[in-house]
Amino acid sequence: MELTIKKSGLLTTVQDLGRWGYQSDGIPVAGAMDIPALRAANAMVGNEDTAAALEISFMGPEIEVSGGGTAVCTGADLGFCVNGASIGNYRVVSLKAGDVISFRGMTGTGCRAVLAFGGGIDVPVVMKSRSTHTRSKMGGFQGRALKSGDKLATGSPSPLAAKLGGFSVPADILPVQSADAPLSVVTGLQKDAFTDEGIKTFFSEEYTVTAENDRMGCRLDGPDIAHKDGADIVSDAIPLGSVQIPGHGKPIIMLADRQTTGGYTKIGVISPLSIQALAQKMQGHKVRFREVSAAFAREELKKIASAIARIKELAEKYAAGSAPRGKARHIRLTVNGKSYDVICEEIMQ
């Protein structure tokens, strides 16, 4: 299947789980901001976990399809449509030549979605990943965000994919942290670099997401967090979700496109579900923190893995015909004066 980008959207890039294993060589990881959403999307269209998809931020693209296949949108609800008809998230849609994918815009509080296709996005593998890191112009489609006129191919879908049209799961099948819940922080050795009052401030005060919020990191504004003897350290590795506190005392949380090392103190690392929650926040959103154990963060990973395994199980049952299915029927749909042939599904009770 070939995808022609008619409109690029605000920021649409090719992403997978990231370019792990090369930080010691100065190579950033990149990868999807909302990793559980990517994994769920791949599971729903019969892909491997490592398959590449499109990450869509704020305003989605318009894409024309050549050939047939399947697609699903997960993560934030950005108004996923095919031929002008709303499909919604976490529902697999069958595509045919000439179909047009579009997005109506944000309908909730999140800002990032994942659009996956059966077979994944087929771009060159660079250091074991297809992820785009735009700052270094590495990976993805020519190392950049997509733009109008680009053409992308999908890979060969699994035998399962052709049987998954109409498959859906509830969005809450994935463990999700409430948008209002504090971000969970596992503190680390550099916690000792902060005064007792500074640590108390960090865990008791409210912070605001600033305009400096992108795939590299999220800068917060709020009360200063006091150091004992300054913010500078010998540069060391920066894990995903690290909470850096530079000399100005404001937290910066490092995300997918983060640099590999840094010389500022880190008070801790936020947990997997908190990373997902932060990836969906926008300028002006409020953030609080709470301290949790490493065991707590590991349990979150286990919950995500369990949910993905459940989605894969349901997809296999659906494809095998042992899950409730519908029968397809064609209808003529008119939207804004334009008529479209749409395949719908009548759910069989």
Side-chain angles (χ1 to χ4, degrees):
M1 180 166 61
E2 186 177 71
L3 310 174
T4 299
I5 308 302
K6 310 296 285 185
K7 297 179 181 177
S8 61
L10 186 61
L11 178 65
T12 305
T13 57
V14 177
Q15 301 293 343
D16 58 17
L17 294 178
R19 194 165 281 106
W20 293 94
Y22 298 96
Q23 279 190 264
S24 61
D25 299 314
I27 305 299
V29 175
M33 291 279 279
D34 188 337
I35 291 175
L38 171 68
R39 296 184 65 192
N42 276 328
M44 290 189 70
V45 290
N47 290 344
E48 296 293 331
D49 248 12
T50 54
L54 299 183
E55 179 179 274
I56 298 164
S57 299
F58 297 95
M59 184 173 65
E62 183 177 301
I63 304 171
E64 185 174 341
V65 174
S66 297
T70 54
V72 69
C73 191
T74 61
D77 187 352
L78 301 185
F80 176 47
C81 297
V82 175
N83 298 331
S86 177
I87 303 298
N89 279 14
Y90 296 92
R91 180 180 180 84
V92 178
V93 60
S94 295
L95 300 170
K96 64 183 186 301
D99 281 349
V100 176
I101 294 170
S102 61
F103 293 82
R104 292 177 177 170
M106 292 186 294
T107 62
T109 57
C111 61
R112 289 187 172 94
V114 173
L115 178 63
F117 298 87
I121 301 296
D122 186 13
V123 293
V125 175
V126 179
M127 296 182 176
K128 301 178 183 178
S129 172
R130 292 181 167 87
S131 282
T132 311
H133 186 260
T134 57
R135 283 178 170 83
S136 62
K137 299 181 180 179
M138 179 184 294
F141 185 84
Q142 300 178 9
R144 58 170 172 78
L146 299 183
K147 61 184 181 182
S148 299
D150 288 343
K151 294 182 183 294
L152 294 87
T154 60
S156 299
S158 70
L160 195 69
K163 302 177 181 179
L164 288 171
F167 172 57
S168 65
V169 297
D172 60 7
I173 195 170
L174 286 173
V176 177
Q177 180 172 297
S178 168
D180 299 324
L183 301 181
S184 300
V185 179
V186 180
T187 54
L189 295 176
Q190 290 167 19
K191 178 182 178 181
D192 293 342
F194 303 91
T195 66
D196 290 344
E197 187 63 29
I199 293 168
K200 180 181 178 182
T201 298
F202 178 72
F203 284 113
S204 63
E205 297 293 337
E206 185 176 72
Y207 291 85
T208 303
V209 175
T210 70
E212 295 178 85
N213 173 30
D214 58 19
R215 284 182 46 85
M216 186 173 183
C218 177
R219 188 184 295 270
L220 304 175
D221 190 25
D224 292 353
I225 299 161
H227 296 83
K228 288 180 180 177
D229 298 306
D232 295 334
I233 59 171
V234 175
S235 291
D236 63 2
I238 300 182
L240 176 62
S242 297
V243 185
Q244 279 191 338
I245 313 291
H248 54 56
K250 314 291 186 184
I252 305 173
I253 305 178
M254 310 310 295
L255 297 172
D257 284 357
R258 65 197 179 280
Q259 67 269 33
T260 58
T261 62
Y264 295 129
T265 48
K266 297 175 287 296
I267 202 167
V269 178
I270 64 175
S271 70
L273 290 182
S274 291
I275 292 171
Q276 180 188 33
L278 183 63
Q280 298 294 354
K281 290 188 181 296
M282 295 172 280
Q283 181 181 357
H285 283 177
K286 304 299 182 182
V287 169
R288 287 184 175 272
F289 299 98
R290 63 169 178 165
E291 187 171 7
V292 299
S293 66
F296 178 93
R298 286 194 294 270
E299 283 302 310
E300 287 191 348
L301 284 174
K302 290 178 182 178
K303 289 177 182 177
I304 294 168
S306 178
I308 300 303
R310 178 60 176 157
I311 292 173
K312 291 179 179 178
E313 178 186 6
L314 291 172
E316 289 172 0
K317 287 183 177 180
Y318 184 90
S322 58
R325 304 180 66 91
K327 59 181 181 180
R329 66 187 180 94
H330 292 263
I331 65 170
R332 188 75 169 169
L333 180 69
T334 301
V335 179
N336 295 329
K338 295 183 178 180
S339 295
Y340 302 94
D341 288 317
V342 180
I343 298 177
C344 294
E345 187 178 28
E346 295 178 334
I347 302 300
M348 298 172 64
Q349 303 296 331

